[in-house]
Amino acid sequence: MNEKNSYWYQLKDDFMDFLREKGYSKSSFTHYRGQMDFLIRYANALGYTEYAPEIGQGFLASEARLREWNPATFRFKTTVIRRLDEYINGRGYTFARLRIFYQCPECFESELDAFLQTLRDEGYKEITIRQYRVQLVKMLRSFSGNGIASLGDVNADCVQQAFGESANKAIFATYARRFFAYLVEQGITAADYSGILPAVRYPQRAPSVYTYEEVEKLLSCVDHSTPMGKRDYTVLLLAVRLGMRASDIRLLRFQDVDFNKKKISYVQFKTGVPQTLSLLPEIERALQDYIESGRPETDEPYIFLTYRKTQLSRSAVSLIADKYFKQAEIDPGDRHHGSHSLRMTFASELVAKDVPFEVVSRLL
C-alpha cells in the first residue's frame, strides 16, 4: 500500500473508532465505511493527499445527481461528511486528539515497527498488519501509562492490567501472544508474559444455513428486468451455487471467466490459493445477461460494478444478500443473513448429498 492510500485508510479506521466511541451501531459502521470508500476513491482520483472540509464538499457536489435519483442516499452522504468534519475539527474532538490514541509511544516504536515488518516478510496483508498495529498500540500505551519505558521492563502485572483494560480480550490475547513470542525470540523480553493470559473463547454458533425452499424464495424475489437486479441475481448465485467468498465475487474479472471451457478460475483473496470452479449453466446465463444488458459500459476490469461504474465495496456483496433476505421476508431467527450464510448453505447442501467432507473443505 503506498503512502497516500495508507493515510486515507488510516483516516477511515480512525473515523470508525470515533463513531464507535460515540455509540454508533455495527450496522452504522458498515454504511459509513462504504461512503468513506467512495470518498477515498474521489480523493485519490483528484490527487488529494490529506482530507480537508473542502474535499468533502467537493465530493458531495460530485454526487449531487443523487438528489433526485435517490434523495435518501444523498442525505446520508451529507451526514457522513458532516460527521467526518466534526471528527476532525468540531465539538472538542480534534483530529490530533483522537489520532494520538493510536500513536505508539516513542520508546516502543522501533520494536513495534520491526515486528510488523516480520509480518510483511511472511506475506501478511496490509489490512491484517494494520489490525495488529492498532491492537498492539493500545497495549503499549497501557504499558507507558503504568511507567514502563522499555519492553525489557515489562512484567506480568502490566500485561495483566492491559488485558483487563482491553475491550475485546480474545483479540488482545491473540495479538499479544504473537508479539511476545517475537520479543522473546529477539531477546528483548526475558519471558513470554502473554502466557499468563487466560484462554478466552466465544461461544460457538452453529453455521447459518438455509433450506432449499428459503434459497429459492430468496432468488425468486430478485427483479431480473433491471440492471441492478441482473447483477444482484448473479452475485447471489455465485455465493449459493459455488460457495464463493464475498471478496472473490467482488474482485471477479473478465479474464477469470472462460465461457468456452465453462470454468471460473481465480486466486482467492483471503488465502492466495488458486481456485477453479465449474461455470454452471444457470450461472453462465445470468452472467451473460448481466454483462450484455445490465453492466455499465466501462473499461473497468471487474465484472460487478456499482451504478457509478466503480468496483463494489468490501461490504457490498453481504449487503446485497441482506437486502434480498429482507425483501423475501425470510425469517432468519438467530442465523446470519449475509453472503457468508449462503456460502455455508452451499457447504451444507453438499454434505447432505454425501459429498466427502474433504472435498467440501477443498471447495471452501
Side-chain angles (χ1 to χ4, degrees):
M1 180 180 295
N2 61 41
E3 185 176 349
K4 178 176 70 174
N5 280 341
S6 178
Y7 165 82
W8 286 105
Y9 284 103
Q10 185 64 55
L11 170 62
K12 183 175 76 169
D13 289 346
D14 292 347
F15 183 44
M16 292 303 105
D17 284 305
F18 166 73
L19 297 178
R20 187 176 292 107
E21 289 179 359
K22 300 290 281 184
Y24 281 63
S25 67
K26 289 184 178 180
S27 61
S28 295
F29 296 157
T30 298
H31 298 303
Y32 270 83
R33 282 193 189 98
Q35 296 305 322
M36 285 296 293
D37 285 337
F38 290 135
L39 173 64
I40 291 169
R41 290 194 190 102
Y42 169 82
N44 284 336
L46 295 179
Y48 294 120
T49 57
E50 291 190 7
Y51 180 78
E54 294 78 12
I55 295 174
Q57 294 307 308
F59 168 68
L60 291 177
S62 73
E63 301 285 281
R65 64 186 182 280
L66 280 174
R67 280 196 180 99
E68 294 184 4
W69 185 79
N70 193 331
T73 298
F74 184 78
R75 286 195 298 271
F76 179 66
K77 289 177 181 290
T78 303
T79 299
V80 171
I81 296 302
R82 184 167 63 249
R83 293 288 179 267
L84 181 60
D85 291 343
E86 290 171 358
Y87 160 58
I88 292 177
N89 297 314
R91 298 188 181 180
Y93 288 89
T94 65
F95 187 55
R97 275 185 58 194
L98 281 175
R99 287 197 65 178
I100 197 172
F101 184 70
Y102 295 101
Q103 290 177 353
C104 181
E106 187 175 354
C107 54
F108 304 130
E109 195 164 6
S110 61
E111 288 95 343
L112 176 60
D113 288 344
F115 167 70
L116 296 177
Q117 186 57 49
T118 65
L119 299 182
R120 290 189 181 90
D121 295 341
E122 293 177 23
Y124 280 63
K125 291 183 170 61
E126 283 299 323
I127 187 171
T128 303
I129 293 171
R130 288 204 306 273
Q131 291 167 351
Y132 265 94
R133 180 176 179 82
V134 168
Q135 296 300 322
L136 292 177
V137 163
K138 292 177 182 179
M139 179 179 70
L140 296 172
R141 289 184 64 81
S142 176
F143 291 170
S144 179
N146 284 295
I148 303 296
S150 166
L151 287 173
D153 297 331
V154 170
N155 54 55
D157 287 341
C158 69
V159 173
Q160 191 67 50
Q161 181 162 340
F163 176 76
E165 294 170 356
S166 63
N168 190 321
K169 292 178 170 50
I171 290 179
F172 178 96
T174 298
Y175 290 114
R177 290 190 179 101
R178 181 66 187 269
F179 186 51
F180 273 100
Y182 165 81
L183 295 178
V184 171
E185 180 183 338
Q186 297 297 315
I188 297 172
T189 59
D192 183 354
Y193 292 108
S194 68
I196 68 172
L197 301 178
V200 181
R201 294 183 176 88
Y202 292 116
Q204 294 296 311
R205 293 185 54 168
S208 296
V209 298
Y210 290 83
T211 66
Y212 172 83
E213 291 74 19
E214 288 174 320
V215 169
E216 294 307 306
K217 185 177 181 181
L218 175 77
L219 295 173
S220 66
C221 78
V222 182
D223 183 359
H224 298 248
S225 67
T226 67
M228 185 175 293
K230 296 176 190 292
R231 180 201 68 184
D232 294 350
Y233 181 69
T234 312
V235 164
L236 294 174
L237 283 179
L238 290 171
V240 77
R241 302 292 196 234
L242 296 181
M244 288 181 64
R245 290 188 180 91
S247 55
D248 295 326
I249 294 173
R250 66 179 283 266
L251 296 173
L252 195 66
R253 300 165 298 173
F254 284 99
Q255 69 189 58
D256 300 329
V257 181
D258 190 329
F259 286 101
N260 293 323
K261 295 182 179 180
K262 313 297 183 185
K263 298 290 184 183
I264 299 176
S265 302
Y266 59 96
V267 176
Q268 297 176 83
F269 176 78
K270 181 176 181 179
T271 64
V273 176
Q275 176 71 293
T276 298
L277 302 170
S278 296
L279 180 59
L280 304 177
E282 180 184 19
I283 296 175
E284 181 180 7
R285 289 192 297 271
L287 261 175
Q288 290 178 334
D289 185 31
Y290 169 62
I291 292 170
E292 294 172 4
S293 56
R295 186 179 184 273
E297 292 186 10
T298 173
D299 293 331
E300 185 72 37
Y302 300 103
I303 294 177
F304 300 109
L305 303 176
T306 69
Y307 71 91
R308 297 179 183 81
K309 304 181 182 182
T310 58
Q311 177 189 4
L312 295 181
S313 68
R314 284 183 293 177
S315 60
V317 175
S318 284
L319 290 175
I320 288 170
D322 178 65
K323 168 186 173 181
Y324 290 103
F325 271 114
K326 293 175 180 175
Q327 192 168 306
E329 298 182 346
I330 296 172
D331 181 12
D334 61 352
R335 297 173 294 180
H336 293 294
H337 41 91
S339 59
H340 190 69
S341 65
L342 298 180
R343 177 173 156 83
M344 291 300 99
T345 298
F346 162 77
S348 176
E349 290 179 351
L350 292 180
V351 171
K353 294 176 181 177
D354 294 326
V355 176
F357 181 73
E358 292 78 7
V359 176
V360 177
S361 297
R362 288 179 60 188
L363 287 171
L364 292 180

Short mmCIF file of all heavy atoms in Angstrom, two decimals, residues 72 141 149 178 337 339:
data_model
loop_
_atom_site.label_atom_id
_atom_site.label_comp_id
_atom_site.label_asym_id
_atom_site.label_seq_id
_atom_site.Cartn_x
_atom_site.Cartn_y
_atom_site.Cartn_z
N ALA A 72 -32.59 9.95 -0.37
CA ALA A 72 -32.23 9.43 0.96
C ALA A 72 -30.74 9.11 1.01
O ALA A 72 -30.07 9.39 2.02
CB ALA A 72 -33.05 8.18 1.27
N ARG A 141 0.41 1.55 24.90
CA ARG A 141 0.02 2.78 25.58
C ARG A 141 -0.35 2.50 27.03
O ARG A 141 -0.11 3.31 27.92
CB ARG A 141 -1.13 3.46 24.84
CG ARG A 141 -0.71 4.08 23.51
CD ARG A 141 -1.86 4.84 22.86
NE ARG A 141 -2.26 5.98 23.68
CZ ARG A 141 -1.63 7.15 23.69
NH1 ARG A 141 -0.56 7.32 22.92
NH2 ARG A 141 -2.06 8.13 24.44
N ALA A 149 8.94 2.11 30.38
CA ALA A 149 9.58 2.89 29.32
C ALA A 149 10.40 2.02 28.38
O ALA A 149 10.98 2.53 27.42
CB ALA A 149 10.47 3.97 29.94
N ARG A 178 1.39 -13.43 19.84
CA ARG A 178 2.29 -13.39 18.68
C ARG A 178 3.41 -12.37 18.89
O ARG A 178 4.58 -12.60 18.56
CB ARG A 178 1.48 -13.04 17.43
CG ARG A 178 2.29 -12.99 16.15
CD ARG A 178 2.81 -14.37 15.79
NE ARG A 178 3.71 -14.33 14.66
CZ ARG A 178 3.33 -14.47 13.39
NH1 ARG A 178 2.05 -14.68 13.12
NH2 ARG A 178 4.22 -14.43 12.42
N HIS A 337 -27.53 -13.46 8.00
CA HIS A 337 -28.21 -13.36 6.72
C HIS A 337 -27.43 -12.50 5.74
O HIS A 337 -27.96 -11.63 5.06
CB HIS A 337 -29.64 -12.83 6.89
CG HIS A 337 -29.76 -11.71 7.88
ND1 HIS A 337 -29.65 -10.39 7.51
CD2 HIS A 337 -29.95 -11.73 9.22
CE1 HIS A 337 -29.79 -9.63 8.59
NE2 HIS A 337 -29.98 -10.41 9.64
N SER A 339 -23.77 -12.79 2.91
CA SER A 339 -23.28 -13.67 1.86
C SER A 339 -22.60 -14.91 2.44
O SER A 339 -22.62 -15.98 1.82
CB SER A 339 -22.31 -12.91 0.96
OG SER A 339 -21.22 -12.41 1.72
#
